[in-house]
Amino acid sequence: MKESKRLGVQGMNKIECTKLRSFEEAVELIKDGDKIFISGFGNAGDPKQLIKALVESDKKELTIISNDLGSPNIGLGQLLTKKKIKGLIGTYYNWNTEVAAAYNAGEITVELIPQGSFAEGIRAAGVGSAGFYTKTAVGTALAKGKETKEFNGETYLLQEAIRGDVALICADKADELGNLVYHKTARNFNPVMATAAQTVIAEVGEIVPAGDLDPESIITPHIYVDAIVLRSC
């Protein structure tokens, strides 16, 4: 049973998620030192206004778990420019040269994970698995320090589940219960991240009454969502 440590919401007992008044209120649910999932692939499916509020907040010593970190001083990259990050877990940082500079200077830690293993590691956390074995990255620098095991004469390495304290995600619509639907490829990492954090905050474009969403279109059930905040145009 999923339990929010910030909102006091406990799994199957939750009838309606919290509708927050502002993005500033949303980021107050984040604590210094938290591990934070932030959804998106490039500029698609990222919670832009939640990111902006986090950048403008006083939060620090954060570990950001995301596919990438945008560009220098743009989007997620602003968190690094403003020295709010102590660690990164993700797959692609080539667009942001400040990542390499900060890592080489010993200012942050970086854990690089192949994109498929990254997505599956998050999904594993969501289903309660400790991890999984994969052939991806075997024999490369990314396998350093990771356990390996032989299966049918081939070497696999252990990718542990990836868990977070808070997930900041983005959806096209939500109903008042917190059920979410996404817009095409903006769906990307949002559904798996919603399952793997203790507290899930969704930035949404529209909030409709319960029952208005087509049940076949709902990707993230409300049971995973602790709070929603309406995106301004």
Side-chain angles (χ1 to χ4, degrees), residues 55-67:
V55 167
E56 294 174 351
S57 75
D58 61 355
K59 308 303 176 183
K60 59 185 184 299
E61 295 292 304
L62 305 173
T63 296
I64 301 299
I65 309 170
S66 62
N67 179 70

Side-chain angles (χ1 to χ4, degrees), residues 23-41:
F23 289 93
E24 292 73 23
E25 183 181 7
V27 298
E28 282 306 308
L29 298 173
I30 296 170
K31 296 179 180 178
D32 291 347
D34 271 351
K35 289 186 174 181
I36 306 175
F37 287 117
I38 301 182
S39 62
F41 188 100

